[in-house]
Amino acid sequence: MSVAALTRQDAMRQLLDGMAQDLVAYQGLKDLLGRQFEAAIRHRTTELGTVAEAISTLVDELQARRQHRVALVQRLVGPAAGMLQAFALLKNAGRERMEADWKTLEQSVIECKRLSKRNSDLMVEQYSIMQRVLHGEEQIYAPA
């Protein structure tokens, strides 16, 4: 069923369910990023490959839910609206819970980006060191 064909109640239910799924998924992503960091530190290439595949699959799922969430919000409050307008559709207790979940979700995204950058920086540095060990310095002295 397309988003446009959903009732407002069903669209809101899917929006809330998707956020709940993302909260769980981002915890899983944090765990995977931790495993990736440990595997990189210990030079476990097989594990790095397995974890990278799991991260990629999870990120694809998160991206699909994000796109669906955008469509749901547009269905609920219009094409130029955002989550703040969707919050306003709920009564006090529901709105407060949704706002708290959204804030937690935003913090999870920020933390996962930080962990991903940390991992990337580590692996780039390891690669750079390995290249210098294997091939030597390109130029010890820069030309004047």
Side-chain angles (χ1 to χ4, degrees):
M1 175 181 282
S2 75
V3 171
L6 292 172
T7 66
R8 290 177 61 81
Q9 186 176 15
D10 287 339
M12 182 58 78
R13 187 175 299 116
Q14 284 188 17
L15 181 64
L16 295 172
D17 289 346
M19 284 177 53
Q21 290 171 4
D22 279 359
L23 287 169
V24 172
Y26 270 102
Q27 184 56 53
L29 183 56
K30 285 181 204 176
D31 295 343
L32 286 170
L33 290 167
R35 284 182 51 204
Q36 183 184 49
F37 186 76
E38 289 299 317
I41 286 176
R42 290 171 174 63
H43 305 284
R44 296 181 187 150
T45 55
T46 303
E47 186 177 351
L48 276 171
T50 302
V51 172
E53 188 174 315
I55 288 171
S56 179
T57 300
L58 187 54
V59 167
D60 288 346
E61 291 171 10
L62 286 162
Q63 177 62 13
R65 272 197 299 273
R66 187 196 67 77
Q67 290 172 338
H68 188 65
R69 181 169 40 253
V70 168
L72 290 168
V73 168
Q74 289 175 347
R75 161 68 180 92
L76 289 166
V77 289
M83 290 300 290
L84 293 177
Q85 290 83 11
F87 297 155
L89 297 175
L90 295 171
K91 296 189 192 247
N92 291 339
R95 183 175 60 246
E96 289 171 6
R97 182 173 152 247
M98 187 178 185
E99 288 173 342
D101 286 351
W102 185 250
K103 187 169 224 56
T104 301
L105 189 57
E106 286 179 322
Q107 291 304 311
S108 293
V109 169
I110 290 167
E111 178 64 6
C112 284
K113 284 181 180 182
R114 185 191 70 76
L115 294 172
S116 181
K117 182 173 180 349
R118 174 200 65 185
N119 293 1
S120 175
D121 290 348
L122 172 64
M123 289 186 271
V124 166
E125 183 62 24
Q126 287 175 332
Y127 178 80
S128 175
I129 290 168
M130 189 58 66
Q131 289 302 306
R132 285 187 300 221
V133 168
L134 293 174
H135 305 291
E137 298 286 334
E138 287 183 23
Q139 289 187 353
I140 295 177
Y141 299 102

